Amino acid sequence: MTNPEISALGTSGMLLEVGGELTLETQQRLWTVAQTVGTWQQVAEAVPGMNNLMLTWSAPPASQADWQRLAEALRRAWEESKPLTLQGRLVEVPVIYGGSRGLHMADVMAHTGLTLDEVVAIHSAPLYTVYALGSHPGYCYLGGMDPRIATPRRKSPIVDLPAGSVSIGGVQTGVSASDGPSGWNTIGYTEVRFFDPQQDPPALLRPGDLIRFQVRGIER
């Protein structure tokens, strides 16, 4: 596995980047490291991302030597880490595929050479693991998508994609948790809400949870 790179995030934190392919084992090791370093006195928060881990300081390192010691401790934590299996929840997500709310289904079909029914069947077959939360509050980066429907991100992003939009970007898929811009290819829509500031916690899912997309309908 690729040796990680460690860099400063200004004066507010530190970033560990693993690199290489997006795999569940890598994410599970990052979950382990997050639990370990989250107990360090100088760390305010340890946030796993996709193939990376962000630390923010409760108190910035006092010197460059102090920063280097923390970086080496973080590197050792990664090297000694084992995959952490989290007992996540299974959430069923009913999706209406295609139609006016699956704006880019035709583009995915053109890129992959698959029919509408084939794209839907392939997308809804796996059990997806929540690798990390990010991009915007409540958004889940998912692992486990079949590479047959992988489609490059769009050259021109959509400015205001509605919450609940189910999209494909490269080898990943996800669901927009709020209205906003997106460069991914939207193939459907769900009424499941992944972020609600009135709830506690406001985010529906967390790393280690599982998603199964259910075919609620197909609009042609």
Side-chain angles (χ1 to χ4, degrees):
M1 189 172 289
T2 306
N3 289 328
E5 294 185 3
I6 298 175
S7 57
L9 293 175
T11 59
S12 62
M14 181 179 288
L15 183 68
L16 178 146
E17 297 179 277
V18 179
E21 292 186 19
L22 298 172
T23 67
L24 180 57
E25 180 183 352
T26 296
Q27 291 302 125
Q28 289 174 328
R29 289 184 62 185
L30 288 168
W31 299 342
T32 298
V33 178
Q35 286 192 355
T36 299
V37 304
T39 64
W40 293 356
Q41 184 175 2
Q42 280 190 273
V43 174
E45 192 173 19
V47 183
M50 297 297 285
N51 275 12
N52 63 64
L53 178 68
M54 179 186 74
L55 309 185
T56 58
W57 307 128
S58 54
S63 65
Q64 182 62 27
D66 189 17
W67 191 96
Q68 289 292 347
R69 283 192 292 271
L70 286 166
E72 287 306 312
L74 178 58
R75 188 181 303 278
R76 285 195 303 273
W78 166 256
E79 292 171 349
E80 296 169 0
S81 66
K82 303 295 182 184
L84 173 64
T85 301
L86 298 176
Q87 299 301 316
R89 299 164 300 153
L90 172 61
V91 176
E92 306 279 357
V93 179
V95 178
I96 298 175
Y97 287 93
S100 61
R101 292 182 291 188
L103 300 173
H104 310 125
M105 178 63 85
D107 295 335
V108 173
M109 292 163 59
H111 177 77
T112 61
L114 298 168
T115 67
L116 172 59
D117 289 338
E118 288 171 335
V119 171
V120 171
I122 292 170
H123 184 265
S124 59
L127 191 60
Y128 295 91
T129 301
V130 177
Y131 277 12
L133 300 183
S135 175
H136 57 273
Y139 183 80
C140 300
Y141 287 103
L142 306 178
M145 192 183 79
D146 191 311
R148 289 179 292 171
I149 55 174
T151 304
R153 300 183 184 191
R154 306 189 66 77
K155 293 180 180 179
S156 298
I158 300 299
V159 175
D160 192 18
L161 196 67
S165 297
V166 180
S167 305
I168 291 173
V171 297
Q172 298 177 70
T173 187
V175 183
S176 297
S178 60
D179 299 349
S182 173
W184 289 26
N185 302 279
T186 304
I187 62 171
Y189 177 82
T190 181
E191 294 184 355
V192 174
R193 288 294 170 261
F194 287 77
F195 184 78
D196 183 349
Q198 303 303 317
Q199 299 295 318
D200 184 19
L204 174 64
L205 298 176
R206 56 184 179 269
D209 284 342
L210 303 170
I211 284 181
R212 188 188 305 280
F213 293 112
Q214 296 178 325
V215 182
R216 181 178 176 184
I218 301 177
E219 297 182 355
R220 303 180 186 276

